Each structure stands twice: as C-alpha cells, then as structure tokens.
Amino acid sequence: MTYLQNTAVYAKLPEDISDRWVLLLDPMLATGGSAIQAMQVLVDHGVQPSKILFLNMIASPEGLQNVWKAFPDVRVISAWVDAKLSDRCYILPGLGDYGDRYYSG
C-alpha cells in the first residue's frame, strides 16, 4: 500500500506541540492512510509517536496493522474492531456510509 506524500493542505498547531500529548480523533480507521498522514504531520512538528493517542469508533484489522507498521509506538484506542476490509477498502460489516450519517447526507 502506498500513501501520498505531503498532502497536508493546512496544519495550524500550537508552537509547543512537541511538548504535548496529542489526541488524534477519527471516527473510522479503514486502510489507515489518512491517519498515517496525520501522524506524520505531528511527527514532522516534533511530536513523539509515543505521545500520540489515536481514538476511533470502529477499525479494521488491516488499518490497525498499517498504522502500527508505520508508527509502532502510537497508542490506538478503538471502540470496536470489525472483521475486515472489502475489496473496495470499506470496513465490513461497518456502519454504512458514516459520512452521510454524520453530515445528514
């Protein structure tokens, strides 16, 4: 799996971010691509991976594996780990289209 490099369009972080613990929140962890990119932005700004807590409601085993391969020291807290990803990288059985549910679409 490959990830896009330097795709952050905007990152405004406190000047002392490297001294802080960071809670990184995302409702779903599918492939891990966006989470890994967000973690990389934090690391690029001096945050130690061991001080990043990644919290989500639902995760896939593949996404967890990808995150831990890229950042083994990041702590991940998931309310639930579903069975797998589909061939289209959707979490199965998943929550349906979370974006539509969240944004009333």
Side-chain angles (χ1 to χ4, degrees):
M1 183 172 292
T2 59
Y3 300 100
L4 299 175
Q5 298 297 315
N6 298 322
T7 58
V9 174
Y10 181 76
K12 182 175 181 179
L13 303 170
E15 288 184 22
D16 65 343
I17 190 73
S18 62
D19 300 326
R20 298 182 184 213
W21 281 84
V22 176
L23 297 177
L24 181 59
L25 311 171
D26 195 355
M28 297 176 69
L29 170 63
T31 64
S34 58
I36 291 168
Q37 288 178 354
M39 290 171 198
Q40 189 61 57
V41 168
L42 294 169
V43 169
D44 289 347
H45 285 82
V47 177
Q48 295 298 312
S50 61
K51 289 183 130 186
I52 298 171
L53 300 173
F54 178 50
L55 296 95
N56 55 73
M57 293 188 307
I58 188 169
S60 73
E62 297 90 338
L64 289 168
Q65 201 170 45
N66 290 335
V67 165
W68 287 325
K69 182 177 179 185
F71 293 100
D73 294 332
V74 168
R75 296 177 192 168
V76 180
I77 300 170
S78 299
W80 186 260
V81 178
D82 251 337
K84 63 180 181 175
L85 288 179
S86 72
D87 57 348
R88 294 181 59 194
C89 294
Y90 295 153
I91 299 173
L92 294 177
L95 297 172
D97 191 336
Y98 182 83
D100 285 348
R101 293 170 190 257
Y102 186 78
Y103 296 107
S104 300

